[in-house]
Amino acid sequence: MELLLRKTSLRREDTKIIWVIMLPALFELVMSQLFGMVDTIMLGHSVDSTVAIAAVGLTNSPFNLFNGMIAAFNNGTTVAVAWAVGAGKRDDARSIVRTAMMTNALIGLLVSLALYAFAEPIIIFMGAQEDTLDFAVDYLRIIAAGMLPLSMCYAITGSLRGVGRTRMPMVYNLIANFCNVIGNYALIYGRLGCPQLGVTGAAISTTLSRYIALLLALGVLFFGHHEVRQTLRADWLIRLKWLKKIGGVGGTAAVEQLIMQIGFFVFARKVAGLGTQLFAAHQIALSVNGLTWMPAQAFGIAATTMVGQSLGAGEKERAEGYMRFIHRLSLLFSVCFAIVFLLFIRQIALIYTSDLDVVRLSADALRLIALGMPGIFTQLPVAAGLRGAGDSKFPLVASALGIWIFRVMLGSFFIYTLDLKLDGAWLCITLDQYARAIVVYWRFRTGKWKYKRV
C-alpha cells in the first residue's frame, strides 16, 4: 500500500472511498459480463450453435454503436453530478439528473425506431452469410425495443455513480441480469412451459430484462436514500444549462464512441469475411475478453467520481493523487488477468462450445490479448479520470488513433495480406490498446487536465 501511495497526497484512509465506489461497480460489471457470457454459452449449446453465435455477433457492432454513444453521453451525467456534489450544490445535482433522464428517454426512443426500421440493411452491410441473415435481423429488431429502458437506466446509473453510490446500481442490474438468464433458459431451450425459440428467445429475454432494470432503477431514484432522490412534483423539463454541462464531457465522449464503434463496425466486417466458424471463434474471444475490461472500467468509475468531486471542491493535488493511485492498482490487476489468460484460456473457451476447432481458434486469439493487458488497464481508468476532470478530448484522440490506425487501416494487412487470419485481428486489437494507453497517460503526466472546468 505504501508503494501504491508513493508520490501522492493521499493517506491510507483516503483510499477507502475508492474501494467503496469501485468494489460494487466491479461486482456489478463482472457479474453483468458473466451473465452476458451465459447468453453466448447457452446459444453455444443450442441447435445450430455456430450459426446462432455468429448471428448474434453480427448484431453486436451496430447495437454497440448506439449503446456505446448513449453510455458515453452519460459519462457527462456522472461528471456533472460529481462536480455539483463536490461544490455542495445538491439541488443543481438533482436538476441535472432530471435533464439527463428526459434527454435519454428521447434518445432511446429514436434509436429504437432506427434500429428496427433499418435492421436488414444493417445486417447485410455487416457481411452476414446466407445461413445467419434471418436470425440476425430478427434478433436486432427485438433488442431494438429495449433501447428506451436501457437509455434511461444509463442516466440513473450515471447519476448515482456521480455521488459515489455504486451499490444500488449493482443490485438492480444484477437482478435484471439474473432474470435474463432465467428467461434465456426458458425461451432458448423451451423450458418452464415456454416455446423453444433459440436466437429469438434470447432477444426477447434480453429486452424484457431491460424493462425490469428500468423499473427497479426508478424505484431507487424515487424512494432511495441518496443525494439525488427525485419527486414527481419536480421540474422535469430539459434545461439547456444542464444539457450543456452534460454535453461538455458526454458529447465529446459520445463522439469518441461514434468514432470507436464505426471502427469496430468496419473491423467486424473484416473478420466476418473469414467465414462463420472463425467469426464464431472471434465472438467467443470478445465475450471472454470483455470480462477483463470490467475491473478496468470499475477503476475508471472510481477515477471519474473522485477526480470530479475533488476538482469540484477545488482540490487539484488530491485529484492527481486519486488518479495515480487508481492507475497503479489497476496495473496490478492486469498482471493477474494476463496470467489467467496464458494458463487457463483453453479451459475457459471449452465452456462456450464443444466445437474443438472453434475452441482452439478463440484460445489462440485470447493468448495474444493477454499481452495487451497493461494497455487495457492503463487506458480505461486514466481516460475515465481525464473525463472526470472535463478533459475529454484526449481520450477521443487516443481512441481514434488506436482504432483507426491499427484495426481499420492495418486490419486487412494483418488478417489477409499476411494471412494471419484471426490471430492477425487480435494482434491489431492488442496494438490498439497500447496506442490508446500511451496517449492518455502522456496527457495525465502533463498535469494540464487539472485546470479544466465543467
Side-chain angles (χ1 to χ4, degrees):
M1 182 61 72
E2 294 302 324
L3 185 61
L4 293 176
L5 289 171
R6 188 169 174 263
K7 292 185 179 180
T8 73
S9 59
L10 303 180
R11 296 166 297 179
R12 279 178 175 267
E13 50 268 31
D14 294 324
T15 65
K16 292 179 181 178
I17 187 63
I18 295 174
W19 293 107
V20 169
I21 295 171
M22 193 275 289
L23 287 177
L26 174 60
F27 188 72
E28 173 202 342
L29 292 168
V30 169
M31 292 306 296
S32 295
Q33 181 66 21
L34 285 173
F35 282 131
M37 292 165 69
V38 169
D39 284 5
T40 307
I41 291 167
M42 286 182 169
L43 287 171
H45 293 278
S46 65
V47 178
D48 297 325
S49 61
T50 301
V51 171
I53 293 174
V56 173
L58 288 166
T59 71
N60 285 342
S61 289
F63 173 78
N64 288 336
L65 171 63
F66 293 103
N67 182 53
M69 289 178 64
I70 296 169
F73 177 78
N74 285 285
N75 284 333
T77 303
T78 300
V79 173
V81 169
W83 276 70
V85 170
K89 300 177 180 178
R90 293 191 177 184
D91 287 341
D92 286 355
R94 294 186 185 99
S95 186
I96 290 168
V97 174
R98 294 192 293 272
T99 290
M101 284 187 63
M102 299 310 294
T103 303
N104 274 36
L106 180 60
I107 292 172
L109 180 60
L110 293 175
V111 170
S112 292
L113 294 173
L115 284 176
Y116 186 89
F118 299 104
E120 186 169 350
I122 288 172
I123 295 301
I124 291 173
F125 178 77
M126 283 302 301
Q129 307 292 319
E130 186 177 348
D131 56 348
T132 58
L133 177 61
D134 290 340
F135 288 113
V137 170
D138 288 345
Y139 187 89
L140 184 57
R141 282 178 173 159
I142 294 169
I143 63 171
M147 289 305 300
L148 174 61
L150 182 63
S151 182
M152 293 185 71
C153 264
Y154 278 137
I156 298 170
T157 299
S159 303
L160 292 170
R161 286 173 176 170
V163 296
R165 303 279 184 155
T166 54
R167 189 174 300 172
M168 290 175 280
M170 175 192 74
V171 172
Y172 61 69
N173 281 315
L174 287 180
I175 292 172
N177 277 300
F178 180 75
C179 292
N180 184 32
V181 171
I182 299 300
N184 279 342
Y185 175 75
L187 294 171
I188 292 175
Y189 302 126
R191 306 291 169 81
L192 305 178
C194 297
Q196 182 177 348
L197 300 176
V199 173
T200 300
I204 293 171
S205 176
T206 297
T207 299
L208 290 176
S209 72
R210 286 175 179 152
Y211 281 95
I212 292 170
L214 176 59
L215 290 174
L216 295 172
L218 288 171
V220 168
L221 189 67
F222 283 94
F223 302 107
H225 297 286
H226 48 79
E227 295 86 340
V228 290
R229 182 173 176 175
Q230 301 293 331
T231 66
L232 290 175
R233 295 190 301 272
D235 174 11
W236 286 87
L237 295 176
I238 295 175
R239 295 297 176 185
L240 186 58
K241 67 175 180 177
W242 302 136
L243 193 57
K244 286 181 179 178
K245 283 187 176 291
I246 295 169
V249 173
T252 306
V255 173
E256 177 189 346
Q257 278 296 316
L258 177 63
I259 293 170
M260 285 175 56
Q261 295 300 334
I262 292 175
F264 293 157
F265 203 84
V266 175
F267 186 68
R269 285 197 72 206
K270 296 178 188 293
V271 181
L274 293 171
T276 299
Q277 186 183 61
L278 280 166
F279 193 64
H282 180 62
Q283 292 309 309
I284 290 174
L286 286 174
S287 179
V288 176
N289 184 51
L291 186 62
T292 69
W293 284 57
M294 300 305 104
Q297 286 182 331
F299 284 120
I301 289 167
T304 299
T305 301
M306 297 315 301
V307 169
Q309 290 188 6
S310 297
L311 293 178
E315 298 177 342
K316 294 182 176 60
E317 297 310 310
R318 191 177 183 83
E320 182 175 353
Y322 277 121
M323 281 269 277
R324 197 177 298 278
F325 177 80
I326 289 170
H327 175 233
R328 291 170 179 171
L329 198 57
S330 182
L331 284 177
L332 287 180
F333 273 66
S334 75
V335 174
C336 297
F337 273 91
I339 292 171
V340 170
F341 268 40
L342 290 172
L343 296 180
F344 305 110
I345 199 57
R346 188 175 184 277
Q347 289 80 358
I348 296 172
L350 276 168
I351 298 172
Y352 281 82
T353 180
S354 56
D355 187 326
L356 295 181
D357 288 333
V358 173
V359 168
R360 176 181 56 79
L361 290 166
S362 57
D364 288 345
L366 286 164
R367 289 190 185 98
L368 282 170
I369 200 61
L371 303 177
M373 290 299 159
I376 294 172
F377 280 78
T378 291
Q379 64 100 354
L380 283 172
V382 174
L386 293 177
R387 294 188 196 100
D391 190 11
S392 54
K393 291 182 180 178
F394 274 84
L396 184 155
V397 171
S399 297
L401 290 176
I403 290 168
W404 282 85
I405 290 177
F406 292 103
R407 297 202 196 197
V408 176
M409 295 175 64
L410 296 178
S412 294
F413 176 74
F414 280 98
I415 296 169
Y416 295 106
T417 305
L418 296 181
D419 198 31
L420 294 176
K421 297 184 172 63
L422 194 60
D423 288 346
W426 281 81
L427 180 59
C428 289
I429 293 173
T430 301
L431 293 173
D432 162 31
Q433 299 306 314
Y434 278 111
R436 285 193 256 177
I438 289 169
V439 173
V440 296
Y441 188 71
W442 171 80
R443 178 61 174 179
F444 163 68
R445 292 283 293 177
T446 66
K448 294 180 180 179
W449 54 273
K450 292 184 288 186
Y451 303 95
K452 292 284 183 177
R453 294 290 300 171
V454 173

